[in-house]
């Protein structure tokens, strides 16, 4: 699943992850309202549909309501994005990727000590 998701789709995924990996449409809309996001219903439904097509979400019917269930955890998504970034920047060269990670670790350790 190497597909990318848009920033808008990521907003919805973060809401779903914050709600334990599943959320009703009404909960998603409430969270968007809290965040001062003024997307229209059709926009949200389109984004949720795209996430389903990309296999990031599945829809579970609960009576007449839809529950959107994450098929990817936030940690899995972050790992996929990290691998994608390293592959783009370093062209899959593991030596450079390891150097990048080691440099980041070294930098964060220096910041912690100061």
């Amino acid at each position: 699943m190497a597909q990318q998701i848009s920033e808008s789709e990521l907003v919805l995924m973060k809401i779903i992850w914050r709600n334990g990996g599943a959320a009703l449409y009404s909960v998603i809309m409430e969270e968007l309202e809290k965040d001062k996001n003024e997307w229209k219903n059709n926009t949200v439904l389109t984004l949720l549909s795209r996430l389903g097509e990309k296999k990031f979400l599945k829809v579970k019917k609960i009576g007449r309501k839809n529950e959107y269930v994450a098929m990817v955890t936030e940690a899995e998504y972050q790992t996929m994005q990290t691998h994608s970034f390293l592959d783009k920047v370093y062209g899959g060269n593991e030596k450079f990727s390891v150097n990048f990670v080691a440099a980041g670790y070294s930098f964060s350790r220096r910041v912690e000590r100061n």
Side-chain angles (χ1 to χ4, degrees):
M1 181 183 333
Q3 286 203 4
Q4 297 292 312
I5 63 175
S6 69
E7 289 295 318
S8 298
E9 291 166 338
L10 184 57
V11 167
L12 297 180
M13 288 302 296
K14 286 183 177 185
I15 290 171
I16 293 166
W17 288 324
R18 277 195 314 256
N19 282 279
L24 294 172
Y25 176 77
S26 58
V27 171
I28 293 169
M29 293 305 290
E30 287 171 16
E31 291 291 323
L32 287 171
E33 239 178 77
K34 284 181 196 173
D35 294 339
K36 306 284 190 257
N37 191 313
E38 297 179 5
W39 289 340
K40 303 287 184 219
N41 290 350
N42 284 344
T43 301
V44 175
L45 290 170
T46 298
L47 293 170
L48 290 168
S49 176
R50 286 183 190 160
L51 286 165
E53 291 168 7
K54 294 177 181 181
K55 307 288 188 233
F56 280 87
L57 288 180
K58 72 176 178 180
V59 181
K60 191 166 116 183
K61 281 282 192 193
I62 300 178
R64 296 178 62 196
K65 298 178 180 180
N66 285 340
E67 180 180 48
Y68 296 90
V69 181
M71 301 295 294
V72 175
T73 67
E74 189 169 13
E76 289 169 333
Y77 177 72
Q78 290 168 341
T79 299
M80 288 174 12
Q81 289 301 98
T82 301
H83 285 286
S84 175
F85 171 76
L86 291 174
D87 198 39
K88 283 179 195 171
V89 173
Y90 296 108
N93 186 322
E94 290 181 22
K95 178 182 175 189
F96 289 122
S97 296
V98 169
N99 288 339
F100 172 79
V101 172
Y105 174 75
S106 173
F107 176 76
S108 67
R109 297 277 301 192
R110 276 184 273 152
V111 169
E112 286 174 6
R113 281 189 229 135
N114 294 331

